[in-house]
Amino acid sequence: MEGKRIKLSEQTSKRLYESIVEEGKYPPGSKLPNENELSEALAVSRTTLREAVSYLVAQGVLEIRRGKGTFVAENLPAAGLDLSALASVRSRVRAKDLFEMRLIFEPATVALACQRATDEELELICKKARRVERIAAEGGNWPLADQEFHWAIIKASHNEYMRRLYPIINGAVDEIMQIAKNRQKMQDIALSDNLLILDFLLQRDEAGARHAMSIHMKHLINTLRD
């Protein structure tokens, strides 16, 4: 049942993505219909819709504005983001290679976030870290919540090329996490490492944050080798 629900949420995210990017039904900056209307239009449950929306939030396609609703991002990811192509990622890209790419990319990004993040952005990153902990404790889809935590850091770097690259990397991460054998160990790593990353980030300690993110990626790479 869980596998079918996850698959349906992926299909829903793809349909919603196509409505936004390919059909132009919801232009950049526009507000999506409320949850009841959208779930009815897509003929899915609200739970499935929420998972699909969370996925697109992690990809930088949608933004949730507290008290206002869900909006299409003003700056959509590069057109190269093809959700339909992610199904074959497991055969084309080794998981270790992907996390090695993140090892190159994300430590530099968190260092930039230390320099450039606004106080509001740091507060949002804190909320995202707490959300990962809460969802993990509830047995929910913590990898998606973790992607949102990392996405908040990417946005706080205020580097447009990094913003455009990350959703493509993130899509591959999502695919690999669904077939990872050591999900529980990876969850434990994420929860502990996120706190360390967050601590240095709040101190705006660039060197510390860079090292913390590097350690996090190396922990994940070592877990994938197990």
PDB file of all heavy atoms in Angstrom, residues 104-110 112 116 151 154-155 157-169:
ATOM      1  N   ILE A 104      30.963  18.203  -3.359  1.00  0.00           N
ATOM      2  CA  ILE A 104      31.620  19.332  -4.009  1.00  0.00           C
ATOM      3  C   ILE A 104      30.753  20.591  -3.904  1.00  0.00           C
ATOM      4  O   ILE A 104      31.255  21.694  -3.655  1.00  0.00           O
ATOM      5  CB  ILE A 104      31.878  19.004  -5.500  1.00  0.00           C
ATOM      6  CG1 ILE A 104      32.863  17.831  -5.621  1.00  0.00           C
ATOM      7  CG2 ILE A 104      32.398  20.230  -6.254  1.00  0.00           C
ATOM      8  CD1 ILE A 104      32.944  17.251  -7.026  1.00  0.00           C
ATOM      9  N   PHE A 105      29.473  20.417  -4.059  1.00  0.00           N
ATOM     10  CA  PHE A 105      28.535  21.517  -4.262  1.00  0.00           C
ATOM     11  C   PHE A 105      28.037  22.166  -2.966  1.00  0.00           C
ATOM     12  O   PHE A 105      28.064  23.389  -2.808  1.00  0.00           O
ATOM     13  CB  PHE A 105      27.359  20.944  -5.068  1.00  0.00           C
ATOM     14  CG  PHE A 105      26.210  21.863  -5.297  1.00  0.00           C
ATOM     15  CD1 PHE A 105      26.328  22.968  -6.116  1.00  0.00           C
ATOM     16  CD2 PHE A 105      24.970  21.603  -4.722  1.00  0.00           C
ATOM     17  CE1 PHE A 105      25.246  23.807  -6.358  1.00  0.00           C
ATOM     18  CE2 PHE A 105      23.886  22.426  -4.950  1.00  0.00           C
ATOM     19  CZ  PHE A 105      24.037  23.535  -5.774  1.00  0.00           C
ATOM     20  N   GLU A 106      27.596  21.355  -2.013  1.00  0.00           N
ATOM     21  CA  GLU A 106      26.861  21.913  -0.866  1.00  0.00           C
ATOM     22  C   GLU A 106      27.726  22.555   0.216  1.00  0.00           C
ATOM     23  O   GLU A 106      27.271  23.508   0.855  1.00  0.00           O
ATOM     24  CB  GLU A 106      25.915  20.858  -0.299  1.00  0.00           C
ATOM     25  CG  GLU A 106      24.797  20.522  -1.288  1.00  0.00           C
ATOM     26  CD  GLU A 106      23.622  19.813  -0.654  1.00  0.00           C
ATOM     27  OE1 GLU A 106      23.115  20.287   0.383  1.00  0.00           O
ATOM     28  OE2 GLU A 106      23.222  18.775  -1.210  1.00  0.00           O
ATOM     29  N   PRO A 107      28.947  22.087   0.485  1.00  0.00           N
ATOM     30  CA  PRO A 107      29.748  22.813   1.477  1.00  0.00           C
ATOM     31  C   PRO A 107      30.007  24.268   1.076  1.00  0.00           C
ATOM     32  O   PRO A 107      29.937  25.174   1.915  1.00  0.00           O
ATOM     33  CB  PRO A 107      31.052  22.004   1.533  1.00  0.00           C
ATOM     34  CG  PRO A 107      30.623  20.614   1.183  1.00  0.00           C
ATOM     35  CD  PRO A 107      29.586  20.799   0.124  1.00  0.00           C
ATOM     36  N   ALA A 108      30.268  24.500  -0.206  1.00  0.00           N
ATOM     37  CA  ALA A 108      30.479  25.879  -0.662  1.00  0.00           C
ATOM     38  C   ALA A 108      29.196  26.691  -0.540  1.00  0.00           C
ATOM     39  O   ALA A 108      29.228  27.883  -0.215  1.00  0.00           O
ATOM     40  CB  ALA A 108      30.957  25.873  -2.117  1.00  0.00           C
ATOM     41  N   THR A 109      28.077  26.034  -0.771  1.00  0.00           N
ATOM     42  CA  THR A 109      26.793  26.734  -0.726  1.00  0.00           C
ATOM     43  C   THR A 109      26.448  27.158   0.696  1.00  0.00           C
ATOM     44  O   THR A 109      25.982  28.279   0.926  1.00  0.00           O
ATOM     45  CB  THR A 109      25.678  25.832  -1.283  1.00  0.00           C
ATOM     46  OG1 THR A 109      26.038  25.423  -2.602  1.00  0.00           O
ATOM     47  CG2 THR A 109      24.363  26.577  -1.341  1.00  0.00           C
ATOM     48  N   VAL A 110      26.657  26.280   1.663  1.00  0.00           N
ATOM     49  CA  VAL A 110      26.327  26.637   3.043  1.00  0.00           C
ATOM     50  C   VAL A 110      27.263  27.734   3.545  1.00  0.00           C
ATOM     51  O   VAL A 110      26.868  28.579   4.357  1.00  0.00           O
ATOM     52  CB  VAL A 110      26.354  25.394   3.965  1.00  0.00           C
ATOM     53  CG1 VAL A 110      27.768  24.950   4.297  1.00  0.00           C
ATOM     54  CG2 VAL A 110      25.583  25.666   5.258  1.00  0.00           C
ATOM     55  N   LEU A 112      28.361  30.179   1.667  1.00  0.00           N
ATOM     56  CA  LEU A 112      27.764  31.401   1.130  1.00  0.00           C
ATOM     57  C   LEU A 112      26.536  31.820   1.941  1.00  0.00           C
ATOM     58  O   LEU A 112      26.302  33.011   2.166  1.00  0.00           O
ATOM     59  CB  LEU A 112      27.367  31.196  -0.331  1.00  0.00           C
ATOM     60  CG  LEU A 112      28.499  31.159  -1.359  1.00  0.00           C
ATOM     61  CD1 LEU A 112      27.935  30.858  -2.749  1.00  0.00           C
ATOM     62  CD2 LEU A 112      29.264  32.481  -1.379  1.00  0.00           C
ATOM     63  N   ARG A 116      25.363  35.425   3.487  1.00  0.00           N
ATOM     64  CA  ARG A 116      24.311  36.176   2.807  1.00  0.00           C
ATOM     65  C   ARG A 116      22.899  36.000   3.361  1.00  0.00           C
ATOM     66  O   ARG A 116      22.009  36.787   3.023  1.00  0.00           O
ATOM     67  CB  ARG A 116      24.306  35.776   1.327  1.00  0.00           C
ATOM     68  CG  ARG A 116      25.629  36.057   0.630  1.00  0.00           C
ATOM     69  CD  ARG A 116      25.632  35.474  -0.772  1.00  0.00           C
ATOM     70  NE  ARG A 116      26.873  35.769  -1.481  1.00  0.00           N
ATOM     71  CZ  ARG A 116      27.169  35.315  -2.686  1.00  0.00           C
ATOM     72  NH1 ARG A 116      26.295  34.541  -3.330  1.00  0.00           N
ATOM     73  NH2 ARG A 116      28.318  35.623  -3.257  1.00  0.00           N
ATOM     74  N   TRP A 151      17.219  22.750   0.660  1.00  0.00           N
ATOM     75  CA  TRP A 151      16.776  23.732  -0.327  1.00  0.00           C
ATOM     76  C   TRP A 151      16.719  25.122   0.294  1.00  0.00           C
ATOM     77  O   TRP A 151      17.063  26.113  -0.356  1.00  0.00           O
ATOM     78  CB  TRP A 151      15.419  23.314  -0.881  1.00  0.00           C
ATOM     79  CG  TRP A 151      14.788  24.288  -1.845  1.00  0.00           C
ATOM     80  CD1 TRP A 151      13.555  24.853  -1.733  1.00  0.00           C
ATOM     81  CD2 TRP A 151      15.329  24.796  -3.073  1.00  0.00           C
ATOM     82  NE1 TRP A 151      13.305  25.688  -2.810  1.00  0.00           N
ATOM     83  CE2 TRP A 151      14.373  25.667  -3.641  1.00  0.00           C
ATOM     84  CE3 TRP A 151      16.546  24.596  -3.738  1.00  0.00           C
ATOM     85  CZ2 TRP A 151      14.585  26.345  -4.842  1.00  0.00           C
ATOM     86  CZ3 TRP A 151      16.759  25.279  -4.935  1.00  0.00           C
ATOM     87  CH2 TRP A 151      15.789  26.129  -5.474  1.00  0.00           C
ATOM     88  N   ILE A 154      20.152  26.426   0.249  1.00  0.00           N
ATOM     89  CA  ILE A 154      20.540  26.813  -1.110  1.00  0.00           C
ATOM     90  C   ILE A 154      19.984  28.196  -1.443  1.00  0.00           C
ATOM     91  O   ILE A 154      20.692  29.067  -1.961  1.00  0.00           O
ATOM     92  CB  ILE A 154      20.012  25.785  -2.136  1.00  0.00           C
ATOM     93  CG1 ILE A 154      20.623  24.398  -1.909  1.00  0.00           C
ATOM     94  CG2 ILE A 154      20.292  26.269  -3.565  1.00  0.00           C
ATOM     95  CD1 ILE A 154      22.100  24.295  -2.122  1.00  0.00           C
ATOM     96  N   LYS A 155      18.711  28.417  -1.137  1.00  0.00           N
ATOM     97  CA  LYS A 155      18.100  29.709  -1.450  1.00  0.00           C
ATOM     98  C   LYS A 155      18.779  30.831  -0.669  1.00  0.00           C
ATOM     99  O   LYS A 155      18.925  31.944  -1.170  1.00  0.00           O
ATOM    100  CB  LYS A 155      16.608  29.668  -1.147  1.00  0.00           C
ATOM    101  CG  LYS A 155      15.825  28.822  -2.132  1.00  0.00           C
ATOM    102  CD  LYS A 155      14.336  29.070  -2.051  1.00  0.00           C
ATOM    103  CE  LYS A 155      13.732  28.532  -0.785  1.00  0.00           C
ATOM    104  NZ  LYS A 155      12.254  28.651  -0.768  1.00  0.00           N
ATOM    105  N   SER A 157      21.799  31.073  -0.017  1.00  0.00           N
ATOM    106  CA  SER A 157      23.124  31.376  -0.580  1.00  0.00           C
ATOM    107  C   SER A 157      23.039  32.539  -1.563  1.00  0.00           C
ATOM    108  O   SER A 157      24.043  33.169  -1.888  1.00  0.00           O
ATOM    109  CB  SER A 157      23.706  30.151  -1.296  1.00  0.00           C
ATOM    110  OG  SER A 157      23.062  29.921  -2.540  1.00  0.00           O
ATOM    111  N   HIS A 158      21.821  32.804  -2.071  1.00  0.00           N
ATOM    112  CA  HIS A 158      21.581  33.902  -3.020  1.00  0.00           C
ATOM    113  C   HIS A 158      22.493  33.813  -4.240  1.00  0.00           C
ATOM    114  O   HIS A 158      23.015  34.820  -4.728  1.00  0.00           O
ATOM    115  CB  HIS A 158      21.740  35.264  -2.324  1.00  0.00           C
ATOM    116  CG  HIS A 158      20.704  35.518  -1.280  1.00  0.00           C
ATOM    117  ND1 HIS A 158      19.468  36.076  -1.565  1.00  0.00           N
ATOM    118  CD2 HIS A 158      20.689  35.251   0.055  1.00  0.00           C
ATOM    119  CE1 HIS A 158      18.756  36.162  -0.450  1.00  0.00           C
ATOM    120  NE2 HIS A 158      19.472  35.653   0.551  1.00  0.00           N
ATOM    121  N   ASN A 159      22.671  32.580  -4.721  1.00  0.00           N
ATOM    122  CA  ASN A 159      23.428  32.359  -5.951  1.00  0.00           C
ATOM    123  C   ASN A 159      22.484  31.712  -6.956  1.00  0.00           C
ATOM    124  O   ASN A 159      22.012  30.594  -6.735  1.00  0.00           O
ATOM    125  CB  ASN A 159      24.642  31.462  -5.679  1.00  0.00           C
ATOM    126  CG  ASN A 159      25.483  31.245  -6.932  1.00  0.00           C
ATOM    127  OD1 ASN A 159      25.054  30.562  -7.864  1.00  0.00           O
ATOM    128  ND2 ASN A 159      26.673  31.799  -6.948  1.00  0.00           N
ATOM    129  N   GLU A 160      22.201  32.413  -8.041  1.00  0.00           N
ATOM    130  CA  GLU A 160      21.182  31.961  -8.982  1.00  0.00           C
ATOM    131  C   GLU A 160      21.552  30.639  -9.646  1.00  0.00           C
ATOM    132  O   GLU A 160      20.684  29.790  -9.867  1.00  0.00           O
ATOM    133  CB  GLU A 160      20.959  33.034 -10.062  1.00  0.00           C
ATOM    134  CG  GLU A 160      19.843  32.708 -11.030  1.00  0.00           C
ATOM    135  CD  GLU A 160      18.481  32.550 -10.349  1.00  0.00           C
ATOM    136  OE1 GLU A 160      18.271  33.147  -9.267  1.00  0.00           O
ATOM    137  OE2 GLU A 160      17.638  31.820 -10.889  1.00  0.00           O
ATOM    138  N   TYR A 161      22.827  30.410  -9.963  1.00  0.00           N
ATOM    139  CA  TYR A 161      23.202  29.163 -10.617  1.00  0.00           C
ATOM    140  C   TYR A 161      23.054  27.977  -9.675  1.00  0.00           C
ATOM    141  O   TYR A 161      22.644  26.890 -10.082  1.00  0.00           O
ATOM    142  CB  TYR A 161      24.637  29.251 -11.155  1.00  0.00           C
ATOM    143  CG  TYR A 161      24.716  30.014 -12.453  1.00  0.00           C
ATOM    144  CD1 TYR A 161      25.005  31.374 -12.460  1.00  0.00           C
ATOM    145  CD2 TYR A 161      24.470  29.392 -13.674  1.00  0.00           C
ATOM    146  CE1 TYR A 161      25.058  32.095 -13.644  1.00  0.00           C
ATOM    147  CE2 TYR A 161      24.520  30.096 -14.862  1.00  0.00           C
ATOM    148  CZ  TYR A 161      24.816  31.452 -14.845  1.00  0.00           C
ATOM    149  OH  TYR A 161      24.852  32.149 -16.017  1.00  0.00           O
ATOM    150  N   MET A 162      23.374  28.195  -8.410  1.00  0.00           N
ATOM    151  CA  MET A 162      23.188  27.121  -7.438  1.00  0.00           C
ATOM    152  C   MET A 162      21.707  26.816  -7.256  1.00  0.00           C
ATOM    153  O   MET A 162      21.306  25.652  -7.117  1.00  0.00           O
ATOM    154  CB  MET A 162      23.834  27.505  -6.107  1.00  0.00           C
ATOM    155  CG  MET A 162      25.350  27.504  -6.159  1.00  0.00           C
ATOM    156  SD  MET A 162      26.104  27.915  -4.578  1.00  0.00           S
ATOM    157  CE  MET A 162      27.842  27.719  -4.968  1.00  0.00           C
ATOM    158  N   ARG A 163      20.875  27.849  -7.255  1.00  0.00           N
ATOM    159  CA  ARG A 163      19.424  27.657  -7.143  1.00  0.00           C
ATOM    160  C   ARG A 163      18.899  26.815  -8.304  1.00  0.00           C
ATOM    161  O   ARG A 163      17.994  26.007  -8.138  1.00  0.00           O
ATOM    162  CB  ARG A 163      18.713  29.006  -7.130  1.00  0.00           C
ATOM    163  CG  ARG A 163      18.785  29.777  -5.824  1.00  0.00           C
ATOM    164  CD  ARG A 163      18.207  31.166  -5.990  1.00  0.00           C
ATOM    165  NE  ARG A 163      16.822  31.102  -6.430  1.00  0.00           N
ATOM    166  CZ  ARG A 163      15.766  31.185  -5.614  1.00  0.00           C
ATOM    167  NH1 ARG A 163      15.952  31.340  -4.322  1.00  0.00           N
ATOM    168  NH2 ARG A 163      14.543  31.134  -6.077  1.00  0.00           N
ATOM    169  N   ARG A 164      19.450  27.016  -9.487  1.00  0.00           N
ATOM    170  CA  ARG A 164      18.970  26.293 -10.662  1.00  0.00           C
ATOM    171  C   ARG A 164      19.531  24.870 -10.736  1.00  0.00           C
ATOM    172  O   ARG A 164      18.887  23.975 -11.272  1.00  0.00           O
ATOM    173  CB  ARG A 164      19.326  27.063 -11.934  1.00  0.00           C
ATOM    174  CG  ARG A 164      18.516  28.350 -12.082  1.00  0.00           C
ATOM    175  CD  ARG A 164      18.927  29.147 -13.306  1.00  0.00           C
ATOM    176  NE  ARG A 164      18.087  30.334 -13.434  1.00  0.00           N
ATOM    177  CZ  ARG A 164      16.936  30.370 -14.095  1.00  0.00           C
ATOM    178  NH1 ARG A 164      16.480  29.271 -14.681  1.00  0.00           N
ATOM    179  NH2 ARG A 164      16.236  31.478 -14.170  1.00  0.00           N
ATOM    180  N   LEU A 165      20.733  24.682 -10.224  1.00  0.00           N
ATOM    181  CA  LEU A 165      21.343  23.355 -10.270  1.00  0.00           C
ATOM    182  C   LEU A 165      20.741  22.415  -9.232  1.00  0.00           C
ATOM    183  O   LEU A 165      20.524  21.222  -9.507  1.00  0.00           O
ATOM    184  CB  LEU A 165      22.856  23.484 -10.041  1.00  0.00           C
ATOM    185  CG  LEU A 165      23.660  22.172  -9.966  1.00  0.00           C
ATOM    186  CD1 LEU A 165      23.528  21.388 -11.269  1.00  0.00           C
ATOM    187  CD2 LEU A 165      25.126  22.466  -9.659  1.00  0.00           C
ATOM    188  N   TYR A 166      20.446  22.939  -8.048  1.00  0.00           N
ATOM    189  CA  TYR A 166      20.044  22.060  -6.951  1.00  0.00           C
ATOM    190  C   TYR A 166      18.791  21.236  -7.223  1.00  0.00           C
ATOM    191  O   TYR A 166      18.761  20.049  -6.895  1.00  0.00           O
ATOM    192  CB  TYR A 166      19.874  22.860  -5.654  1.00  0.00           C
ATOM    193  CG  TYR A 166      19.632  21.972  -4.456  1.00  0.00           C
ATOM    194  CD1 TYR A 166      20.640  21.126  -3.996  1.00  0.00           C
ATOM    195  CD2 TYR A 166      18.403  21.947  -3.813  1.00  0.00           C
ATOM    196  CE1 TYR A 166      20.423  20.294  -2.914  1.00  0.00           C
ATOM    197  CE2 TYR A 166      18.183  21.113  -2.729  1.00  0.00           C
ATOM    198  CZ  TYR A 166      19.200  20.295  -2.283  1.00  0.00           C
ATOM    199  OH  TYR A 166      18.965  19.463  -1.222  1.00  0.00           O
ATOM    200  N   PRO A 167      17.723  21.805  -7.812  1.00  0.00           N
ATOM    201  CA  PRO A 167      16.547  20.966  -8.048  1.00  0.00           C
ATOM    202  C   PRO A 167      16.822  19.743  -8.915  1.00  0.00           C
ATOM    203  O   PRO A 167      16.220  18.688  -8.724  1.00  0.00           O
ATOM    204  CB  PRO A 167      15.578  21.935  -8.749  1.00  0.00           C
ATOM    205  CG  PRO A 167      15.971  23.273  -8.239  1.00  0.00           C
ATOM    206  CD  PRO A 167      17.461  23.215  -8.145  1.00  0.00           C
ATOM    207  N   ILE A 168      17.757  19.856  -9.861  1.00  0.00           N
ATOM    208  CA  ILE A 168      18.098  18.718 -10.705  1.00  0.00           C
ATOM    209  C   ILE A 168      18.794  17.650  -9.868  1.00  0.00           C
ATOM    210  O   ILE A 168      18.481  16.460  -9.939  1.00  0.00           O
ATOM    211  CB  ILE A 168      18.982  19.171 -11.876  1.00  0.00           C
ATOM    212  CG1 ILE A 168      18.231  20.197 -12.722  1.00  0.00           C
ATOM    213  CG2 ILE A 168      19.399  17.978 -12.737  1.00  0.00           C
ATOM    214  CD1 ILE A 168      19.081  20.885 -13.777  1.00  0.00           C
ATOM    215  N   ILE A 169      19.737  18.077  -9.028  1.00  0.00           N
ATOM    216  CA  ILE A 169      20.415  17.145  -8.123  1.00  0.00           C
ATOM    217  C   ILE A 169      19.407  16.537  -7.158  1.00  0.00           C
ATOM    218  O   ILE A 169      19.406  15.333  -6.892  1.00  0.00           O
ATOM    219  CB  ILE A 169      21.526  17.880  -7.337  1.00  0.00           C
ATOM    220  CG1 ILE A 169      22.644  18.330  -8.288  1.00  0.00           C
ATOM    221  CG2 ILE A 169      22.102  16.980  -6.235  1.00  0.00           C
ATOM    222  CD1 ILE A 169      23.696  19.177  -7.617  1.00  0.00           C
TER     223      ILE A 169
END
